[in-house]
Amino acid sequence: MATKYPTPPGDGMAPIGRAFSEVRRAQRELARPGAVQIGELVQQVQTALVNLNAQVAAAIAANSYTKSTIDYLVAHPPAGSAVTGNISATGDVSAASVTATNVTGTNVFAQSLSTNITAGRVQLWGRTSDGYIATAVSSEKFKSNIRLADLDPDVVLEVGVSYFEYTVELRKRDDPTFEEYVGPWYHVSTNIGVIAERLHELGLWQFVVYERIMVPGPLIPNDLSQDEGDEYFPVTYSEQLHLDANGEPIPLAVHDSLFVYALLPVMQRMHRRQNAFATRLAALDGQEEDY
Amino acid sequence: MTEYFIGNLLTGRRLQTLPVMTGPWSDQIHVAETITVTVDLNDADVRDLDLDSSAAPAQSFLAVRENGRIVAAGPIWTSVYDRPKRTLTLRAAGMASLFNHRLILPVLAATIGVDQWTVPDPADPTKTMPNPALATVFSGISLGTMAKRLVQQARTWTGGNVPIEFQPDEAAARTKTYDAVNFKPVWEACTDIMNMDDGPEINFQALDTDDLLGVKWLMETGTVAEPLITSTSIVDWDLTAKESPISDFQITTDATKMGSLAWQTGGAQNSTVVVSRAYDPTLVSAGYPLMELSDSSHSTVDRQDTLDDYATADVIAGRRAVEVWSFSVKAYPTDQLGNPAGPQVGDYQVGDFCNIHIDAFDPKALTGDPFKHAGGDFPMRIIGISGDEKGIDLKIDLAPALVA
């Protein structure tokens, strides 16, 4: 068996230097990972990553939804979904059935009208400013300054009834440059009605819908600090009549449903004249007839 | 006469002699020699040497010769120029120090992809293992020859061919694998080999080349039969004789590394824990308290038998306190007539055995030694020699010769 001889401590700082060398060697030994260690560390990391995926998947399955599920649910909210606040959409909103207190939109379509409504019905009122549809109330309790409408039956009788086709419908059939162009086979419906401008010209403004515009309110800075360089925006709008260059309102539509009120004076006058004719005929015949 | 000279490290060719102001040097067992010289730049001869380039650290070596024998030589590692004093101080260490800067890597490591240092483990594809193509593997050779092969492999790299000669190979039933990923310095591995239970000593002995125009180093390693590097001559010194060349005699005893139970831990390379234990009852039987030794510095060792070697070596070394006898001795002792008397510098070197004679202490005549009062002949081994530019006195360190 071999024997070991010590290295002498040396002079001066030599022993300390040697001690530091030993410490440095030990430190280097500890800081030097073996290849297997490296491999196993890599393996552990890889295993952890694999487990991490599984754990995340399990956690999602237990407590959350995957992105695809979330995307699907956002696209297809399940039955029973209820939103407590407002709903807004920049695109179209479609539904098989809508029951709501308020539905607001630029275009509100009922693509498949129900044909089986048999219960009580009301008269609807579409507000020009925002298209709000509601029951057209007519009770005295909602009204003030009730007075007789002085309509001239002769003027009413001058209203002409016309057949017409809507220009847009014609372009769908005849104008290939039109973005909604369909083709020559497109069927254009013939409509019947009165022309808003003719009613306006006859002074029957009560039955005309005039164009309206939204007028901006006071300009407000984009923040309350009102620093130099702030941009100013209106935050309120009000609706006003849209007047032409001559200051005249511009007809847009006709209150078809109201036009029945224009016919009443005509009918009343006809009724009075009929009664007068009946009275005179009875006097001529010496007997009173019940017409 | 003490002579200092510098030369080119890679070729070993001698460049010039160096006149020094001071030049302490030291040669100690198991570690690289050290040389520190200071030269005077006020000396025109020194200025002519252009030491700024001729003594460039790491490119040049510094050597010291005593009585015709090179006692220390190796790379210059640092130089300090002191302008106020107009001096230049060079510090060099033995050739072994160069191999603290060389790693156990085959030449293939210079070109193989850095992503190929580990490969899938055939036994377990989910794991990786050090690439066997980069391993330095030894089998069928002795520990000393393994150390030799480590140095030889380092020399095969471009720029690694420092002038070193080697002993013949020695066969032995030994195997050892050094994985490249450990980046172990060559000299650190050599030190590990020396620290093993039956590990041989390793030394780089500087020698003159045959044409006397340069220096070469002989890498000496102990053998299986004789792990110690020593000569057959035994020097005698008489401590208590009249006109003894010995002065400043001291004995330093350090028991801090004694122990009866040694523990070694390793296995970090395989992420396991390998524990080795060795127990020697000598101290406890002699009435010492139980003291333990633990060492985890061989953390990459995963072979039980290798770790056992370290533990056994620890417990053997732990049997006794580290006892160092040191003294100054005349480098060229003479008798009253001026004739050489006693060992002359160069007649002995580190590793040699010697005999120290001490007369029995006579309290009346106050002869002998009051500490080693029984006196006698003490077989010792030289574990360190140091000198200086004067070449008058040497400091000798001895350790008690150990019985195998």
Side-chain angles (χ1 to χ4, degrees), chain B residues 7-11 15 52-61 75-77:
Chain B
N8 182 278
L9 179 63
L10 199 53
T11 65
L15 294 178
D52 189 21
S53 60
S54 63
Q59 190 182 32
S60 308
F61 73 81
I76 296 171
W77 290 113

Side-chain angles (χ1 to χ4, degrees), chain A residues 223-245:
Chain A
D223 64 44
L224 297 178
S225 60
Q226 300 189 29
D227 297 325
E228 185 177 356
D230 280 348
E231 294 183 63
Y232 287 74
F233 299 97
V235 295
T236 60
Y237 290 84
S238 60
E239 187 188 54
Q240 293 183 4
L241 272 177
H242 187 196
L243 302 179
D244 64 13

Side-chain angles (χ1 to χ4, degrees), chain A:
Chain A
M1 182 177 292
T3 53
K4 299 298 174 189
Y5 287 87
T7 300
D11 298 325
M13 300 293 287
I16 297 175
R18 194 164 298 149
F20 271 113
S21 294
E22 284 299 313
V23 171
R24 188 171 57 185
R25 174 207 160 105
Q27 186 272 334
R28 194 166 56 229
E29 190 86 14
L30 291 172
R32 179 192 299 147
V36 175
Q37 272 185 299
I38 294 173
E40 291 191 352
L41 282 174
V42 170
Q43 177 62 26
Q44 288 172 9
V45 171
Q46 289 174 339
T47 303
L49 287 175
V50 171
N51 291 339
L52 183 63
N53 286 339
Q55 289 175 354
V56 169
I60 288 174
N63 307 311
S64 183
Y65 290 131
T66 63
K67 179 179 181 300
S68 59
T69 303
I70 293 171
D71 289 344
Y72 179 83
L73 288 174
V74 169
H76 308 88
S81 296
V83 178
T84 55
N86 296 330
I87 295 176
S88 65
T90 55
D92 295 342
V93 175
S94 63
S97 175
V98 176
T99 301
T101 303
N102 294 299
V103 176
T104 303
T106 303
N107 299 302
V108 178
F109 303 112
Q111 293 180 328
S112 178
L113 292 174
S114 175
T115 57
N116 62 348
I117 298 177
T118 56
R121 58 188 168 186
V122 296
Q123 178 69 31
L124 297 181
W125 181 312
R127 193 158 65 195
T128 56
S129 61
D130 53 12
Y132 189 89
I133 299 173
T135 300
V137 294
S138 195
S139 167
E140 191 177 34
K141 63 186 177 185
F142 295 110
K143 301 177 179 178
S144 300
N145 298 325
I146 299 173
R147 55 198 182 279
L148 185 64
D150 184 15
L151 292 175
D152 185 348
D154 290 334
V155 173
V156 174
L157 288 174
E158 290 184 25
V159 175
V161 179
S162 305
Y163 286 121
F164 62 91
E165 286 81 31
Y166 282 107
T167 305
V168 169
E169 292 295 293
L170 291 172
R171 293 187 68 189
K172 289 180 182 177
R173 184 188 66 189
D174 303 331
D175 185 0
T177 64
F178 184 46
E179 60 182 5
E180 297 180 30
Y181 174 72
V182 177
W185 57 85
Y186 183 73
H187 174 70
V188 177
S189 298
T190 297
N191 286 273
I192 188 169
V194 296
I195 307 303
E197 284 83 351
R198 300 295 87 76
L199 296 183
H200 174 72
E201 289 164 2
L202 291 171
L204 297 175
W205 55 269
Q206 303 90 332
F207 309 105
V208 176
V209 178
Y210 293 97
E211 288 187 14
R212 307 185 77 85
I213 57 173
M214 302 304 290
V215 178
L219 297 180
I220 303 297
N222 60 347
D223 64 44
L224 297 178
S225 60
Q226 300 189 29
D227 297 325
E228 185 177 356
D230 280 348
E231 294 183 63
Y232 287 74
F233 299 97
V235 295
T236 60
Y237 290 84
S238 60
E239 187 188 54
Q240 293 183 4
L241 272 177
H242 187 196
L243 302 179
D244 64 13
N246 297 320
E248 291 293 323
I250 303 170
L252 176 66
V254 174
H255 289 298
D256 291 322
S257 61
L258 295 182
F259 204 72
V260 67
Y261 301 128
L263 298 179
L264 283 177
V266 175
M267 294 178 68
Q268 288 167 349
R269 191 175 70 173
M270 289 175 65
H271 184 67
R272 284 196 301 272
R273 285 183 177 180
Q274 188 181 21
N275 287 341
F277 284 140
T279 302
R280 287 182 65 183
L281 285 175
L284 288 174
D285 295 341
Q287 57 184 14
E288 189 172 331
E289 292 291 338
D290 184 14
Y291 293 95

Side-chain angles (χ1 to χ4, degrees), chain A residues 1-11 18 25-26 28-30 32-40 43 46, chain B residues 28-30 126 128 130 181-182 188 192 194 196 199 268-271 297-300 316 353 381 383 400-402:
Chain A
M1 182 177 292
T3 53
K4 299 298 174 189
Y5 287 87
T7 300
D11 298 325
R18 194 164 298 149
R25 174 207 160 105
R28 194 166 56 229
E29 190 86 14
L30 291 172
R32 179 192 299 147
V36 175
Q37 272 185 299
I38 294 173
E40 291 191 352
Q43 177 62 26
Q46 289 174 339
Chain B
Q28 296 179 324
I29 195 168
H30 302 157
T126 64
T128 59
V181 292
N182 286 331
E188 188 177 299
D192 287 345
M194 285 193 284
M196 294 177 72
Q269 184 163 312
N270 280 336
S271 294
S297 64
H298 304 290
S299 61
T300 58
I316 290 173
F353 286 92
R381 191 176 184 215
I383 58 172
L402 303 175

